[in-house]
Amino acid sequence: MLITYDVSTITPAGRRRLQKISKLCQNYGQRVQNSVFECVVDSAQLAKLKNQLINTIEKEEDSLRIYQLGNNYKSKVEHIGMKESLDVEAPLIF
């Protein structure tokens, strides 16, 4: 899935919300743009993350979008340019 957000940072509270939303998303996926995260989650994780995000944003000031790409998401994402993304489902070899 893809999560995008736009948080009003005019006030200190807005800047705190932005940091909190960023940290929540980092717990479930990788940042691919400033306010865009790619996440591979199951339905329970999605429900938990969505609930946490909804409880964090201010609906009158902020915007949150969640795109569910499905199981064949790799064929739906094209990356051009620098900062190649990490394959979160690949084995980690050190």
Side-chain angles (χ1 to χ4, degrees):
M1 63 185 264
L2 194 66
I3 298 175
T4 68
Y5 54 86
D6 188 19
V7 177
S8 174
T9 57
I10 296 170
T11 65
R15 290 187 287 276
R16 285 190 297 274
R17 278 195 317 277
L18 177 64
Q19 290 177 345
K20 185 171 183 181
I21 289 172
S22 175
K23 286 180 183 178
L24 285 170
C25 291
Q26 286 176 19
N27 290 336
Y28 291 89
Q30 66 174 330
R31 182 187 306 268
V32 294
Q33 297 285 324
N34 284 339
S35 296
V36 180
F37 282 81
E38 290 178 355
C39 305
V40 178
V41 295
D42 60 29
S43 59
Q45 291 170 319
L46 172 59
K48 182 178 179 181
L49 175 57
K50 187 175 176 180
N51 186 50
Q52 290 173 318
L53 292 170
I54 289 170
N55 289 328
T56 302
I57 69 165
E58 288 293 333
K59 293 179 183 174
E60 297 79 29
E61 300 176 37
D62 307 330
S63 174
L64 173 67
R65 290 180 177 259
I66 299 172
Y67 299 89
Q68 296 184 43
L69 301 175
N71 291 331
N72 296 319
Y73 70 93
K74 288 183 182 181
S75 65
K76 297 175 184 177
V77 177
E78 182 177 0
H79 177 261
I80 301 166
M82 60 183 262
K83 198 175 179 182
E84 193 66 36
S85 60
L86 173 70
D87 183 356
V88 295
E89 294 184 305
L92 294 175
I93 301 172
F94 293 99

